[in-house]
Amino acid sequence: QKEVEQDPGPLSVPEGAIVSLNCTYSNSAFQYFMWYRQYSRKGPELLMYTYSSGNKEDGRFTAQVDKSSKYISLFIRDSQPSDSATYLCAMSDMGRGSTLGRLYFGRGTQLTVWP
Amino acid sequence: DVKVTQSSRYLVKRTGEKVFLECVQDMDHENMFWYRQDPGLGLRLIYFSYDVKMKEKGDIPEGYSVSREKKERFSLILESASTNQTSMYLCASSLRSYNSPLHFGNGTRLTVT
């Protein structure tokens, strides 16, 4: 079992829909949670970053962490065709020594928003 | 702005060839990483380095080696390329901190025939 599980989709929604992307994890040491967005033929780029449990909002994007359930979500409101990309969740623990800074990624969910 | 540059966008090599993939970052980051990305399998960590001349195996190091002689440069080496190493290779860098995001290059699409 992978440490981070993410449904790869694909997910296809109409413009204006609310999108929910999710990841589950097994390692209770994970403290920092990130979402990356990857456009076709590009490297992933950091979209949002949260620490521990709670919500964080940035424009149309909301990241949610529920540490008790080991579950994180990314919500996209009023989705746009420009949101079409692969979304990867990533997380890290309070690593020490050589693994400090290593991230653990989900497989990514491919999202298409059609006009 | 942060920049991670991978030397080749596309590469075609023959089975058995020795292949070098180069990555350079301009952010003075301590950590550098090599991933491969395959459909359905996501990002898989091959090797990473937390300092010059230091390296750690990731989840799939077999068939690969790395070199980090300078802080800004991290090389991935395929000693004898095989067809199952056909993939997208992504380099990334970060500060040596538990809450530092990774900055990725745009990848090298390697085809081994």
Side-chain angles (χ1 to χ4, degrees):
Chain A
Q1 183 191 5
K2 278 174 67 72
E3 287 194 272
V4 182
E5 297 284 353
Q6 182 178 10
D7 186 342
L11 190 58
S12 181
V13 301
E15 183 174 355
I18 296 174
V19 176
S20 172
L21 304 168
N22 311 295
C23 290
T24 60
Y25 62 94
S26 57
N27 187 347
S28 58
F30 288 147
Q31 299 283 345
Y32 294 87
F33 305 92
M34 303 175 189
W35 286 94
Y36 284 78
R37 178 173 60 194
Q38 184 177 20
Y39 290 116
S40 182
R41 294 187 297 277
K42 296 282 191 181
E45 293 178 306
L46 181 67
L47 183 63
M48 292 193 71
Y49 166 92
T50 55
Y51 168 65
S52 198
S53 286
N55 291 0
K56 183 175 182 179
E57 192 171 316
D58 184 2
R60 296 184 294 109
F61 298 87
T62 300
Q64 196 172 77
V65 174
D66 181 349
K67 290 193 69 184
S68 62
S69 302
K70 296 191 179 67
Y71 189 87
I72 70 170
S73 300
L74 178 70
F75 298 96
I76 307 174
R77 291 186 300 280
D78 187 26
S79 56
Q80 303 294 311
S82 59
D83 295 327
S84 298
T86 296
Y87 290 81
L88 300 103
C89 62
M91 40 201 86
S92 72
D93 56 21
M94 306 284 280
R96 298 285 186 265
S98 61
T99 63
L100 182 61
R102 177 176 173 173
L103 295 185
Y104 297 83
F105 283 88
R107 294 185 183 187
T109 300
Q110 186 180 342
L111 172 67
T112 300
V113 181
W114 42 275
Chain B
D1 197 16
V2 165
K3 201 164 179 69
V4 177
T5 304
Q6 295 184 230
S7 56
S8 302
R9 196 85 173 95
Y10 299 95
L11 214 49
V12 180
K13 296 292 181 180
R14 294 193 181 276
T15 302
E17 276 193 82
K18 190 169 186 175
V19 181
F20 293 86
L21 302 183
E22 306 286 344
C23 175
V24 178
Q25 51 98 359
D26 65 358
M27 297 157 286
D28 203 34
H29 283 168
E30 296 89 1
N31 287 345
M32 295 190 76
F33 304 82
W34 275 107
Y35 291 88
R36 62 177 285 177
Q37 187 174 33
D38 301 286
L41 296 177
L43 285 171
R44 291 183 291 168
L45 182 63
I46 304 171
Y47 267 98
F48 64 101
S49 168
Y50 55 90
D51 202 349
V52 174
K53 297 191 187 294
M54 305 306 289
K55 61 184 179 184
E56 287 283 335
K57 292 181 180 179
D59 300 321
I60 52 163
E62 296 79 18
Y64 303 94
S65 62
V66 290
S67 172
R68 194 167 180 201
E69 296 297 319
K70 293 186 177 181
K71 190 176 185 180
E72 67 270 19
R73 188 179 297 270
F74 192 35
S75 303
L76 180 69
I77 303 154
L78 286 66
E79 296 290 342
S80 177
S82 63
T83 55
N84 63 11
Q85 292 178 311
T86 291
S87 185
M88 171 67 81
Y89 289 87
L90 287 160
C91 175
S93 72
S94 73
L95 292 170
R96 191 147 187 268
S97 166
Y98 47 75
N99 61 352
S100 175
L102 265 60
H103 299 271
F104 284 88
N106 281 328
T108 296
R109 166 67 66 184
L110 172 67
T111 301
V112 182
T113 60

